[in-house]
Amino acid sequence: MSLLIKGGVVVSGGVSRQADVLIQGDRIANVEPSIRADAGRVINAEGKYVLPGAIDVHTHMQLPVSGTVSADDFFTGTRAAAFGGVTTILDFATQSKGESLQETAAKRREEAESKVCIDFGLHLGITDLTDQTLLEIPAMINQGYPSFKLFMAYPELALDDGELYAAIKTVSEAGGMAGVHAENMHLIRRFARTLLSENKTAPMYHEISRPPFVEAEAVRRAITLASETKSNLYFFHLSTERGLAEVRKARLQGLPVYAETCPQYLLLTRDKYRGRGLEAARYVMSPPLRGIEDQRALWSGLADGSLQVVGSDHCPFTSDQKKLGQESFASIPNGGPGVETLLPILLSEGVGRGRLTMERLVEVVSAGPARLFGLYPKKGAVMAGSDADLVMIDPAKEVALSAETLHMNLDYTLYEGYVLKGYPVKTISKGKVICSDGHFFGAPGEGKFIPRSKIPQL
Ligand code: URP
Ligand code: ZN
């Protein structure tokens, strides 16, 4: 089956050019200014952009948290992702105590494989760093799991500094990337205890219990541990100007340190916590929303290359689920929605407002994630030989974001009232059009687990 996409502006490899894209089966066969071929189907892309599908390296589908489970499963979450132009997700398989990484990965793959509509990979969350776990790391990297998540924020999941040091070093030496959730759990525990003892239980105290220096301290400490062995290090969901300053400093020293931020930290501020109970609880996530000065710093970090990735940290909970925290901010399930709005928000609020170029946008949501996480050039590029994962953007299309216009399994959006200009109109996954003008043509199980390659020090 062949498909020819004619007349669009292809954005890939740091350049934009008018070109046709010929797809044969599940791969891109040719990208040229004018392709004459008898294709089974032709899509007219005049006036549209053709980008490599977005790669969201930070999702939490059907994740058990605080006695409930995040509201999107691997089907509803990847279908919503496709509507937003995402063609690959990297989710997490987090080790239970006493479990081998092999078991952890196998269990999570089984949860995902029959449901996913787009391709996926898994980061392995290490929570029990035994000698056996350390020995398993190279084997897991060789099986296509080259990235890991280490926690500094949650006492029940966190590694101590010695374990962090050993895990980061072992992962990097074996050709992988250790990523961290960088917030100092000891400080958070202390601040939360004090607030609760003063009967300060409203959602706004979630943010007050995790001030910016809590992130900056953990970022600096993780960099110190990694720098000793010049190990690869990635920061998930960086939210503060101070955290970014630490990353920038490390990169200027030539250390292989990378960081991601998320749309919520680029667009929303802590004012959202001043709303009434349930309303404010929707914005409770970790790290919390920050200030306008942090937003400005993160936008400029994205533009100047200090930040390499935007991921969504998609971990939605319905209004009913957020009610679990009506007695105390400490019981609110942490997390918010975002997989479907990742690319549209960056298009409209980033490119549309002149904060990012179109080429930089493609770098931070597709090519950069693909390179950093062992998917390039299979994913993240519009070029001959790459998977035919594409998204077609209509720069004139306007969409008012609301729970009704979006497809995530949720009764609200964090971006109510936003009218975005520039929106995905077709999403192609391995040569098949799975979303077109608001209709879904994909199916559960059509996505596949993608074993990823090792991550060299870049
Ligand atoms: O609040 C968040 N971000 N929840 C999802 C899990 C995590 O810490 O990334
Ligand atoms: Zn997360």
Side-chain angles (χ1 to χ4, degrees), residues 58-60 92 149 181 236-237 286 313-315:
H58 193 160
T59 68
H60 301 280
F92 297 81
K149 186 171 188 186
H181 177 148
F236 289 101
H237 50 44
S286 296
D313 196 5
H314 179 77
C315 189

Side-chain angles (χ1 to χ4, degrees), residues 71 76 93-94 122 153 159 175 192 199 209 232 240 270-271 301 321 325 390 427:
T76 62
T94 303
L122 294 171
L159 302 185
N199 219 16
S209 70
N232 282 331
T240 61
R270 55 171 73 89
D271 305 353
Q321 290 178 298
L390 301 168
T427 303

Side-chain angles (χ1 to χ4, degrees), residues 212-224:
F213 88 97
V214 161
E215 177 176 272
E217 187 283 328
V219 169
R220 183 193 292 217
R221 181 157 37 101
I223 289 172
T224 303

Side-chain angles (χ1 to χ4, degrees), residues 36-346:
R36 289 175 195 281
D38 272 337
R41 180 174 175 190
V42 179
I43 293 175
N44 177 5
E46 274 170 40
K48 313 283 192 301
Y49 289 98
V50 178
L51 318 182
I55 299 171
D56 188 348
V57 301
H58 193 160
T59 68
H60 301 280
M61 306 303 175
Q62 53 187 84
L63 177 76
V65 174
S66 304
T68 186
V69 178
S70 62
D72 268 316
D73 67 15
F74 277 102
F75 171 60
T76 62
T78 55
R79 183 185 53 183
F83 275 109
V86 172
T87 52
T88 306
I89 58 163
L90 297 185
D91 207 278
F92 297 81
T94 303
Q95 184 188 28
S96 300
K97 301 283 177 205
E99 192 174 67
S100 70
L101 294 177
Q102 195 73 53
E103 288 166 331
T104 306
K107 275 200 314 208
R108 190 68 169 157
R109 253 179 88 164
E110 202 182 321
E111 284 174 12
E113 266 171 340
S114 60
K115 293 188 182 164
V116 282
C117 314
I118 56 172
D119 286 348
F120 77 106
L122 294 171
H123 308 286
L124 299 180
I126 300 179
T127 64
D128 194 4
L129 194 81
T130 61
D131 290 347
Q132 183 55 32
T133 310
L134 279 172
L135 283 173
E136 261 195 297
I137 287 172
M140 297 312 294
I141 292 175
N142 287 330
Q143 288 175 39
Y145 303 90
S147 51
F148 295 79
K149 186 171 188 186
L150 314 172
F151 298 87
M152 302 171 83
Y154 306 121
E156 62 289 3
L157 302 176
L159 302 185
D160 67 29
D161 288 352
E163 293 168 334
L164 281 171
Y165 170 84
I168 291 168
K169 176 172 182 288
T170 306
V171 165
S172 189
E173 282 174 355
M177 173 77 78
V180 292
H181 177 148
E183 288 185 290
N184 180 320
M185 65 178 181
H186 305 287
L187 292 170
I188 297 166
R189 190 163 49 196
R190 181 154 203 95
F191 297 145
R193 262 194 210 143
T194 306
L195 290 163
L196 293 171
S197 73
E198 293 164 355
N199 219 16
K200 293 177 172 161
T201 56
M204 64 186 277
Y205 295 107
H206 170 73
E207 186 257 327
I208 292 170
S209 70
R210 311 171 97 98
F213 88 97
V214 161
E215 177 176 272
E217 187 283 328
V219 169
R220 183 193 292 217
R221 181 157 37 101
I223 289 172
T224 303
L225 299 174
S227 66
E228 209 46 36
T229 50
K230 297 206 166 31
S231 295
N232 282 331
L233 184 64
Y234 182 81
F235 289 99
F236 289 101
H237 50 44
L238 200 81
S239 66
T240 61
E241 182 176 17
R242 291 176 66 170
L244 175 60
E246 301 294 343
V247 169
R248 200 176 260 135
K249 199 161 72 189
R251 290 178 59 79
L252 286 171
Q253 289 164 11
L255 293 169
V257 171
Y258 309 94
E260 153 202 300
T261 191
C262 311
Q264 51 271 31
Y265 305 117
L266 293 165
L267 292 196
L268 307 174
T269 61
R270 55 171 73 89
D271 305 353
K272 296 289 181 195
Y273 298 122
R274 312 281 153 193
R276 297 244 298 272
L278 186 56
E279 185 92 3
R282 292 174 177 171
Y283 297 90
V284 167
M285 57 188 72
S286 296
L289 301 177
R290 308 295 189 179
I292 198 79
E293 63 292 349
D294 297 290
Q295 279 188 4
R296 285 201 197 101
L298 294 173
W299 277 115
S300 61
L302 267 185
D304 72 18
S306 304
L307 292 166
Q308 297 75 43
V309 175
V310 185
S312 70
D313 196 5
H314 179 77
C315 189
F317 296 99
T318 63
S319 301
D320 268 351
Q321 290 178 298
K322 288 281 182 181
K323 280 185 196 153
L324 287 167
Q326 57 197 356
E327 301 299 321
S328 158
F329 71 87
S331 319
I332 301 171
N334 277 211
V339 72
E340 186 176 1
T341 45
L342 170 71
L343 177 63
I345 281 182
L346 287 175

